[in-house]
Amino acid sequence: MSSFPAGTADDPLVIAGRSFRSRLLTGTGKYRDLDETRRATEAAGAEIVTVAIRRTNIGQDPDQPNLLDVLPPSRFTILPNTAGCYTAEEAVRTCLLARELLDGHTLVKLEVLGDQRTLFPDVVQTLEAAESLVREGFDVMVYTSDDPLLARRLEAIGCAAIMPLAAPIGSGLGIQNRYNLLEIVENAKVPVLVDAGVGTASDAAIAMELGCDGVLMNTAIAGARDPVLMAHAMKLAVEAGRSAFRAGRIPRKRYASASSPIDGTVG
């Protein structure tokens, strides 16, 4: 009997005890306006949307448009992130602000950047921030490098999900080191989601075919010529990649193998 399609009730994404149908998480920055943000998010089928607390109004300024008016927490799980933070102290403070703004919300995305040119994570500061946030009772989804040993350390600290980069943030380069991703996926006991570097639908499908539990993206959708159409394409790619992973691909072979049996052929 064949498996049900990915994204249905038999194959949920579970993060910190919460179940989600969609394995595509989307960002909310870089769109032309809030209406485009809403339409792209809906086309992606995303249930979790990440919000840069230091850059986005979710109630800090009552005189400015509020993202929560178009992406209400009643419909979407808001994932506050610490984008723009370069120290553990900044990141922890940002998460505490998010918890206050969102009435005790504890699911957060941690990222502590090392420099403005590469936007690679500062792994020392990331570890320090993760330890502090876990102690504070947060469920931490952590952006990190594709280092399998570091991923293991972050899981041991108590992070709820590991989010290795596929390539630098916003680069669109796609999956650059599938072997490291495989090592992380095969050894993790918490969800592994590719975060950063996806450029097009095939990149998302590859991440899912490798066994990743989900993909988070922003620039690949918001920066496309038609963000809403690209969001739809990414939704299909994530679903197809997940189904292919669950189905089990055929082995790679060096030589051809006939599609039809040759036993009992005529002539």
Side-chain angles (χ1 to χ4, degrees):
M1 185 173 69
S2 59
S3 302
F4 290 103
T8 55
D10 79 314
D11 185 37
L13 170 62
V14 180
I15 300 174
R18 311 173 201 191
S19 295
F20 303 93
R21 295 182 304 276
S22 175
R23 292 175 178 272
L24 174 58
L25 290 65
T26 56
T28 52
K30 301 185 179 181
Y31 290 102
R32 283 190 287 268
D33 51 38
L34 289 182
D35 182 63
E36 184 176 76
T37 306
R38 175 190 60 79
R39 291 186 293 116
T41 304
E42 291 176 346
E47 294 174 278
I48 302 175
V49 291
T50 185
V51 178
I53 296 299
R54 293 163 64 94
R55 301 169 181 165
T56 306
N57 182 39
I58 58 169
Q60 305 96 311
D61 188 345
D63 297 323
Q64 295 298 318
N66 188 332
L67 178 72
L68 302 186
D69 290 338
V70 297
L71 300 178
S74 59
R75 287 187 58 200
F76 301 93
T77 295
I78 306 300
L79 180 64
N81 71 59
T82 61
C85 293
Y86 288 85
T87 68
E89 182 182 0
E90 285 181 328
V92 171
R93 189 165 58 243
T94 300
C95 289
L96 291 171
L97 172 62
R99 185 162 66 181
E100 181 179 337
L101 289 169
L102 294 170
D103 299 322
H105 185 85
T106 58
L107 185 66
V108 296
K109 180 195 166 191
L110 170 65
E111 56 181 84
V112 186
L113 304 177
D115 68 77
Q116 294 185 359
R117 185 176 68 87
T118 66
L119 300 182
F120 284 148
D122 182 323
V123 297
V124 174
Q125 293 293 306
T126 296
L127 286 165
E128 181 180 333
E131 289 175 337
S132 296
L133 290 170
V134 169
R135 282 198 304 269
E136 287 280 349
F138 285 94
D139 299 312
V140 181
M141 301 174 65
V142 58
Y143 165 67
T144 181
S145 67
D146 60 359
D147 181 344
L149 298 181
L150 180 59
R152 193 182 308 167
R153 175 80 180 277
L154 288 164
E155 182 177 338
I157 286 171
C159 290
I162 308 300
M163 306 180 75
L165 55 80
I169 292 174
S171 67
L173 290 172
I175 312 298
Q176 292 298 298
N177 194 338
R178 63 182 65 193
Y179 302 105
N180 278 25
L181 286 179
L182 270 174
E183 185 68 18
I184 293 172
V185 166
E186 289 175 354
N187 289 282
K189 295 180 177 61
V190 297
V192 176
L193 299 91
V194 159
D195 180 13
V198 168
T200 191
S202 57
D203 300 330
I206 289 170
M208 299 305 295
E209 289 171 1
L210 289 172
C212 293
D213 296 282
V215 180
L216 187 151
M217 64 183 76
N218 186 184
T219 305
I221 295 175
R225 186 170 63 249
D226 185 336
V228 177
L229 183 58
M230 182 60 82
H232 177 65
M234 292 298 190
K235 174 181 183 291
L236 298 178
V238 168
E239 291 177 353
R242 178 64 178 179
S243 291
F245 171 74
R246 295 179 71 196
R249 65 159 293 138
I250 63 171
R252 290 179 172 88
K253 299 178 181 178
R254 183 176 178 184
Y255 298 108
S257 177
S259 299
S260 302
I262 60 172
D263 295 337
T265 54
V266 177

